[in-house]
């Protein structure tokens, strides 16, 4: 593009900008004249981050930034493009803009930028309910990401966030849960607004509860994002997660009335009862010392509040899910458990473990004293 045309364009944009932004334009013009592409990219990024620049982002990108796109870092180029895309009139225009942007950076030397742009396009397709198109783009992005030794965290964060949104739309709650947690691992939580943190914590909690393959919430229970629900109207959901984790049937019965506040939880009410029963079973086993884990069906029924005729099915379900390991004596109606899946402990559970360790220590001391008492002659010899 003719340098004089660009110079005139920048002058027009500077005059149209508010007073506090005009100094930034002078800096932009100076760096462009001196061909300081790195510094120019940085100052443009700062300018686009200013909310007051919104109306000028698209014109600047189309008439100015594209003229030297090959000379700057392609990942930053895409970042500027994504910022400009927010000013498109609707998602259809935004998708066209992002498709052109994706094609422009689809080169062997800029595959990270290509993935970044491709994921952004797939996110727009999700909003337009083109789930198949979004999945195709996400699969392509994932295959490229798998070839990288390292990549900027913002690229991974963008992929995991959009992948989570796709699985949420498909009601694949386990996949959503996994990708949403990976997304949170790629970002600084301080960059999320309180509302964004609460929404993410709410969605993760619901997914964890109604997924038929997630029975250990440890990673979520320990994640600081869950604390964003404390003191809000959704605080009960956090309490419900902890009740499930410790198999607390009494707490579940108290919190059960809140399920009607969430359509998905209400629809899965029967499944949730089955899930808390499994959690109560694993907790009952966990509380017992390893030498005392042969439990009668009657004991299990008392611990889990499950009908006696359904106990065998409950135990078989726990065994098939890998929550427990052991065997069932159908004739004697006894379950012999030799392993229980580890999980995150709350303070009460930790205190119970402390008491068990004290009992074990006392037993070891008693055994030592007994050996010392009956084996005096042996020690003397």
């Amino acid at each position: 593009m003719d340098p004089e045309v660009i110079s005139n364009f920048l002058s027009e944009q500077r005059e149209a900008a508010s007073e506090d932004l005009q100094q930034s334009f002078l800096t932009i013009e100076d760096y462009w004249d001196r061909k300081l592409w790195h510094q120019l990219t940085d100052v443009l990024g700062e300018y686009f981050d200013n909310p007051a620049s919104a109306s000028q982002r698209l014109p600047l990108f189309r008439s100015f930034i594209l003229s030297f796109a090959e000379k700057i870092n392609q990942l930053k180029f895409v970042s500027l493009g994504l910022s400009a895309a927010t000013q498109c009139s609707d998602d259809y225009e935004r998708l066209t803009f992002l498709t052109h942007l994706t094609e422009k950076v689809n080169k062997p030397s800029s595959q990270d930028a290509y993935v970044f742009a491709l994921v952004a396009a797939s996110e727009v397709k999700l909003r337009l309910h083109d789930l198949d198109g979004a999945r195709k783009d996400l699969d392509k992005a994932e295959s490229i990401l798998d070839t990288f030794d390292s990549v900027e965290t913002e690229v991974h964060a963008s992929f995991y966030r959009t992948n989570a949104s796709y699985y949420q739309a498909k009601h694949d709650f386990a996949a959503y849960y996994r990708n949403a947690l990976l997304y949170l691992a790629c970002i600084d939580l301080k960059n999320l607004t309180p509302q964004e943190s609460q929404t993410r914590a709410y969605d993760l909690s619901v997914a964890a509860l109604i997924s038929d393959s997630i029975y250990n919430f440890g990673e979520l229970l320990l994640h600081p994002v869950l604390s964003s629900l404390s003191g809000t109207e959704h605080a009960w959901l956090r309490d419900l997660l902890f009740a499930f984790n410790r198999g607390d049937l009494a707490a579940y019965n108290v919190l059960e009335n809140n399920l009607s506040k969430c359509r998905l939880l209400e629809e899965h009410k029967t499944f949730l009862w089955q899930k808390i029963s499994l959690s109560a079973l694993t907790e009952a086993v966990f509380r017992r010392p390893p030498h005392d884990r042969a439990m009668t069906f009657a004991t299990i029924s008392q611990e889990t509040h499950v009908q006696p005729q359904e106990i065998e099915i409950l135990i078989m379900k726990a065994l098939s899910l890998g929550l427990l390991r052991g065997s069932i004596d159908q004739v004697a109606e006894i379950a012999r458990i030799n392993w229980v899946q580890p999980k995150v402990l709350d303070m009460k559970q930790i205190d119970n473990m402390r008491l068990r360790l004290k009992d074990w220590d006392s037993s070891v001391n008693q055994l030592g004293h007994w050996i010392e008492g009956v084996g005096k002659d042996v020690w003397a010899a």
Side-chain angles (χ1 to χ4, degrees):
M1 188 178 288
D2 188 344
E4 185 176 348
V5 174
I6 292 179
S7 182
N8 290 336
F9 170 77
L10 290 176
S11 296
E12 292 171 3
Q13 291 296 311
R14 184 180 69 247
E15 291 173 8
S18 58
E19 271 188 46
D20 57 327
L21 293 178
Q22 290 185 1
Q23 181 58 46
S24 296
F25 263 104
L26 292 174
T27 306
I28 290 170
E29 291 178 62
D30 177 48
Y31 287 155
W32 178 73
D33 285 335
R34 295 160 61 191
K35 296 182 172 54
L36 299 176
W37 307 121
H38 174 71
Q39 292 87 338
L40 178 58
T41 306
D42 287 344
V43 76
L44 280 167
E46 292 172 6
Y47 185 78
F48 274 34
D49 286 340
N50 190 322
S53 71
S55 63
Q56 293 179 301
R57 292 173 196 166
L58 270 176
L60 276 171
F61 189 85
R62 286 170 169 159
S63 301
F64 178 54
I65 296 173
L66 282 175
S67 68
F68 56 86
E70 306 295 331
K71 297 180 173 66
I72 64 175
N73 179 288
Q74 295 298 278
L75 195 57
K76 291 184 178 180
F77 169 64
V78 171
S79 294
L80 292 170
L82 298 186
S83 184
T86 60
Q87 302 309 304
C88 292
S89 58
D90 57 36
D91 279 335
Y92 293 100
E93 181 189 349
R94 190 170 294 110
L95 182 58
T96 301
F97 177 89
L98 291 175
T99 300
H100 292 156
L101 179 64
T102 302
E103 293 169 353
K104 191 166 184 63
V105 294
N106 187 11
K107 296 172 290 187
S109 60
S110 57
Q111 287 295 283
D112 55 344
Y114 173 64
V115 168
F116 200 25
L118 190 63
V119 169
S122 70
E123 189 172 13
V124 177
K125 288 180 181 179
L126 282 178
R127 291 202 295 270
L128 293 173
H129 307 292
D130 180 10
L131 298 185
D132 292 338
R135 185 68 261 162
K136 183 179 178 181
D137 288 348
L138 288 168
D139 286 342
K140 188 185 297 183
E142 185 172 24
S143 66
I144 297 172
L145 281 172
D146 288 341
T147 66
F148 292 150
D149 291 328
S150 63
V151 68
E152 293 291 333
T153 54
E154 64 179 334
V155 179
H156 266 134
S158 174
F159 171 76
Y160 289 131
R161 184 188 68 243
T162 308
N163 215 27
S165 297
Y166 169 82
Y167 286 119
Q168 188 175 31
K170 296 288 287 185
H171 281 198
D172 187 338
F173 300 108
Y176 166 78
Y177 181 84
R178 182 174 63 254
N179 280 274
L181 284 175
L182 286 169
Y183 162 64
L184 292 176
C186 293
I187 65 169
D188 186 345
L189 284 181
K190 295 177 183 176
N191 294 330
L192 294 180
T193 65
Q195 183 58 47
E196 287 172 335
S197 294
Q198 289 170 25
T199 300
R200 184 66 67 181
Y202 180 90
D203 290 342
L204 274 167
S205 300
V206 172
L209 288 168
I210 64 180
S211 169
D212 60 3
S213 61
I214 301 174
Y215 288 85
N216 192 331
F217 314 138
E219 194 170 358
L220 178 57
L221 295 177
L222 293 174
H223 203 289
V225 75
L226 192 60
S227 299
S228 65
L229 295 179
S230 299
T232 71
E233 60 179 325
H234 304 305
W236 62 270
L237 193 53
R238 180 178 180 274
D239 296 337
L240 188 62
L241 275 175
F242 278 96
F244 266 79
N245 185 63
R246 62 179 181 267
D248 191 337
L249 292 168
Y252 175 79
N253 290 332
V254 171
L255 295 165
E256 187 179 11
N257 291 334
N258 291 293
L259 298 181
S260 58
K261 297 177 182 177
C262 174
R263 180 180 58 81
L264 283 171
L265 293 179
E266 182 67 20
E267 290 174 356
H268 291 78
K269 199 168 183 178
T270 301
F271 170 74
L272 289 174
W273 173 251
Q274 296 170 353
K275 197 166 186 176
I276 189 71
S277 299
L278 285 167
S279 185
L281 171 60
T282 58
E283 179 64 19
V285 174
F286 179 78
R287 285 199 304 265
R288 285 168 167 74
H291 62 270
D292 185 27
R293 288 182 174 172
M295 302 172 65
T296 65
F297 285 13
T299 300
I300 294 174
S301 177
Q302 185 179 359
E303 294 275 4
T304 63
H305 298 180
V306 172
Q307 295 299 317
Q309 64 270 23
E310 297 176 358
I311 293 301
E312 187 175 346
I313 296 174
L314 179 71
I315 300 169
M316 291 174 65
K317 182 73 172 176
L319 293 171
S320 67
L321 289 168
L323 303 178
L324 301 174
R325 291 177 192 163
S327 60
I328 304 173
D329 185 334
Q330 294 173 307
V331 176
E333 295 191 339
I334 294 175
R336 293 181 174 86
I337 309 301
N338 52 45
W339 180 88
V340 60
Q341 185 185 73
K343 60 181 177 180
V344 171
L345 306 180
D346 61 21
M347 294 305 295
K348 183 178 179 181
Q349 291 169 309
I350 291 173
D351 187 57
N352 287 336
M353 180 169 280
R354 180 184 65 84
L355 294 174
R356 282 169 53 190
L357 286 171
K358 285 182 67 178
D359 290 342
W360 174 80
D361 182 59
S362 176
S363 298
V364 170
N365 284 331
Q366 289 177 12
L367 179 61
H369 293 319
W370 178 81
I371 293 174
E372 184 179 353
V374 301
K376 289 180 181 178
D377 295 339
V378 175
W379 303 134

